[in-house]
Every structure is written in structure tokens, then in C-alpha cells.
Amino acid sequence: MPQHLSDVLNACERMGKLNVRADDLRAKLPDASPEALRKALYRQQRAGRLVRLSRGSDHWLIVPLQHAATGSPPLEAWLDAYLRRTLDTPYYVGLLSAAEAYGASPYAVMVTQVMVETKRRPITVGRHELVFHTCARIEAMPTRWHESADGRFKVSTPELTVLDLIQRESMLGGMGRVREVLRALWPQCTSEGLVPALGAMCSVPVAQRLGALLALDEQAALLVPLSDWLRGKTTRLIALEGALPQGEERADNTNTDFKVWIPPQLGANT
């Protein structure tokens, strides 16, 4: 039976177990009083050997020596265990972070954007900053595993990533910035993947805007399933970004197939 917390942590790391919970540690150190264990955890945290992921979770993350400079191992090593197992929270990595996972973001993403069912406060784990966004019907959203040698976490499919980016463009720097990301994502999107993503999100305005963007970027293969999905649904004239203008300017810059007015600065296919 190990006598010290450091021995327990070393043994866990050798087994590849970086996610540990207070109950597990107590079971491995039965002779340690609750106060002694609390102080030992605090010392290991001060030394950078442990990181507590959030208050009240009792979920601790072992920091291997090779990750000491960043203060935590990569997200793949702990994100899924923390959210899905410890917190029992459905999630997926989305938006610009998902695009980055697909190698499709021309911007450096400073935070990891995670979609969850209910509102959560941001957390910082080492150099990783996680920002949470709420998503209704999250368990119906199509996802896949993003895997590396360190582990894996759930990420939105390329098609769902596209829809999320369009839906939340105002918080991502505007549709101009989103368009740059979408151009890099189009080759990874398929007709087979688009249909379930549209059905899960079930937003006609987002689908209309997607149609206008696909037309601008000449993505004919994806226009067919989108048009089929929109058939029979009620649409109204909307703006690709911002508010609809008044007068003739509206007619001159409108995609009539999808009833989307396109601001002149977004109309160029550049």
C-alpha cells in the first residue's frame, strides 16, 4: 500500500491514468486523514503536479513532466473524462475550435469553444481556456471523435460546424470572417453529412444563409440536398448578415433562390 500521495500519482501516470478523483485517492491512501489528504493535494497542486478542473468536481488532473511548462496535458487526455464522466454533461467541441480540429481555421484560436446543454462558467486549466456555449437538443447533434495519441474528445461534424458558425457569426467576428473559415471547410462536407446536420439544428434561416453562401462559393454538390431539405418549408426574406435594407438596394443584391439579401461587401467570391 503506498504511503504518500506522490507514490499514488506516479503509479497512476505509469498506467496512463491522468484523470483521478478524490474518492479514488482516498481508497488508495486509507490511513490518511481527510485533512492530511487535503493538504497533500494542495502541495501537489502548488508544485504543478496536479490541477483541479473545477470547484466541487473533485476531479484532478495529473500533469506529466513533459507538460509541466503548459500546466496541463492536451485536451484529448482529459476533456471527455471531465465533461462526460465526472460532470455527466453531454458536449462537443464546436465553432472555430472544431474548424481548427479539421485544419480549416485560418485564425489562431485562443480559447476552446465547447457546446453544452446548460450554461457553464469558463474554466482555465494550465494554458487551456475553455468557453462554454449552450446548445439545445445537444444529444441529437451529429458528432465524431477527434483522436490523437493522447486520447480523444467529441467534435461537431464538418457539416454541423458549418451550421454553427453561420448561426453564431455575430459572436465570431462577423460573416466575413466566417466565410474564410467556411471556404476551408467545404471540401470536408458531404451531402450525406449535411442532411442529418440540417435536421438536428432544424433552423430554416440558417439553412437559407447556408444556401446563399454555397451559391457564392459555387458549391453545387451541397446545394442539391440543401434545396431538397428546404422544399415545402416556409421561408421569408432575410439578410445574410445584419438587418435588411430598404428600397431598391435590397432587390439588387438578393439571392432569390434562398431569399437572402447579401451585403455588397460579402457578395464578392474572393
Side-chain angles (χ1 to χ4, degrees):
M1 183 68 66
Q3 299 298 310
H4 301 285
L5 177 60
S6 59
D7 297 330
V8 175
L9 300 181
N10 291 339
C12 288
E13 183 179 346
R14 284 194 294 270
M15 292 186 294
K17 183 180 179 182
L18 300 184
N19 296 273
V20 294
R21 293 164 182 81
D23 287 344
D24 300 329
L25 299 175
R26 292 187 193 101
K28 293 180 182 295
L29 295 166
D31 295 331
S33 68
E35 181 63 12
L37 181 58
R38 186 188 68 80
K39 290 181 178 179
L41 287 168
Y42 179 70
R43 287 193 297 271
Q44 294 292 334
Q45 186 179 20
R46 287 287 300 272
R49 180 67 168 134
L50 279 178
V51 178
R52 186 166 67 172
L53 293 183
S54 64
R55 289 185 178 182
S57 71
D58 262 352
H59 184 136
W60 295 84
L61 183 63
I62 298 173
V63 182
L65 182 60
Q66 67 265 35
H67 299 301
T70 57
S72 73
L75 286 170
E76 292 92 336
W78 57 270
L79 183 63
D80 184 72
Y82 172 57
L83 290 174
R84 194 165 57 92
R85 298 178 190 173
T86 295
L87 300 184
D88 194 25
T89 297
Y91 80 96
Y92 64 85
V93 172
L95 299 171
L96 294 175
S97 297
E100 186 177 54
Y102 291 117
S105 177
Y107 303 97
V109 182
M110 305 307 293
V111 301
T112 300
Q113 297 165 321
V114 183
M115 314 299 286
V116 291
E117 196 168 27
T118 57
K119 190 174 181 179
R120 298 193 63 84
R121 295 171 63 89
I123 65 170
T124 300
V125 181
R127 292 185 183 176
H128 298 292
E129 183 179 354
L130 274 64
V131 176
F132 298 98
H133 304 276
T134 56
C135 172
R137 301 178 62 248
I138 190 168
E139 294 190 87
M141 299 298 168
T143 61
R144 62 176 63 169
W145 289 106
H146 171 73
E147 302 192 48
S148 75
D150 297 295
R152 64 181 189 171
F153 56 72
K154 285 187 175 182
V155 63
S156 53
T157 62
E159 298 82 9
L160 179 59
T161 303
V162 165
L163 297 178
D164 278 341
L165 290 170
I166 294 171
Q167 184 179 51
R168 299 170 190 258
E169 52 84 17
S170 61
M171 58 166 277
L172 300 173
M175 192 62 81
R177 185 184 186 194
V178 165
R179 277 198 74 190
E180 293 184 54
V181 181
L182 295 183
R183 290 191 187 102
L185 270 174
W186 295 142
Q188 303 196 50
C189 296
T190 66
S191 299
E192 294 77 14
L194 183 58
V195 174
L198 288 166
M201 180 171 285
C202 200
S203 171
V204 170
V206 169
Q208 289 178 251
R209 292 185 176 97
L210 172 61
L213 291 166
L214 289 172
L216 284 173
D217 290 341
E218 300 178 348
Q219 298 295 315
L222 295 174
L223 282 170
V224 175
L226 175 62
S227 298
D228 290 342
W229 187 84
L230 279 170
R231 188 173 293 116
K233 294 180 173 62
T234 302
T235 59
R236 58 181 177 81
L237 183 62
I238 59 174
L240 184 59
E241 179 185 61
L244 283 170
Q246 301 296 321
E248 295 183 1
E249 182 185 3
R250 178 190 296 182
D252 292 341
N253 296 280
T254 296
N255 179 307
T256 55
D257 290 333
F258 296 100
K259 296 184 182 178
V260 177
W261 176 77
I262 302 169
Q265 69 272 18
L266 293 175
N269 188 11
T270 58

